[in-house]
Amino acid sequence: MFNSKGKAAKKEIEELFNEIQINLENNYKDLAIGARKKAEEKLRTLENTNELKEKDYKKLKAKLDDYTKRMEGYHH
């Protein structure tokens, strides 16, 4: 399959975003913080290894930034 590596990477990040969303909806702040941190690390890794196209990276980074902004008042 062509570019299956990129698709798998995007799917993995989307699963982490889904985990963040579910935890936010259920008001599990600590779990949401942990999931956001995992998503941030994974996105950074994918960027450094060039597993994502620039366009996809920017889209996913914007989504992560949105979650970060929504969680601004959350603290451990």
Side-chain angles (χ1 to χ4, degrees):
M1 185 189 281
F2 183 72
N3 200 18
S4 62
K5 196 175 198 181
K7 287 182 182 182
K10 281 176 42 178
K11 183 177 180 182
E12 192 173 349
I13 289 290
E14 289 295 338
E15 288 173 357
L16 290 169
F17 286 160
N18 187 47
E19 185 179 340
I20 296 169
Q21 185 63 39
I22 289 170
N23 288 323
L24 288 174
E25 288 172 359
N26 290 312
N27 205 26
Y28 299 147
K29 293 179 182 180
D30 288 343
L31 293 174
I33 290 168
R36 190 198 59 77
K37 188 176 282 189
K38 283 193 291 188
E40 182 177 37
E41 290 169 1
K42 185 63 178 178
L43 191 59
R44 188 177 313 119
T45 299
L46 294 174
E47 178 192 23
N48 292 338
T49 59
N50 294 320
E51 290 186 50
L52 289 174
K53 295 178 184 177
E54 182 70 21
K55 179 181 126 183
D56 292 332
Y57 171 77
K58 286 181 179 180
K59 180 181 170 187
L60 294 169
K61 178 70 169 123
K63 193 170 185 177
L64 181 64
D65 290 344
D66 181 53
Y67 281 123
T68 301
K69 185 163 181 68
R70 287 174 52 192
M71 297 168 61
E72 226 168 51
Y74 293 9
H75 300 287
H76 255 328

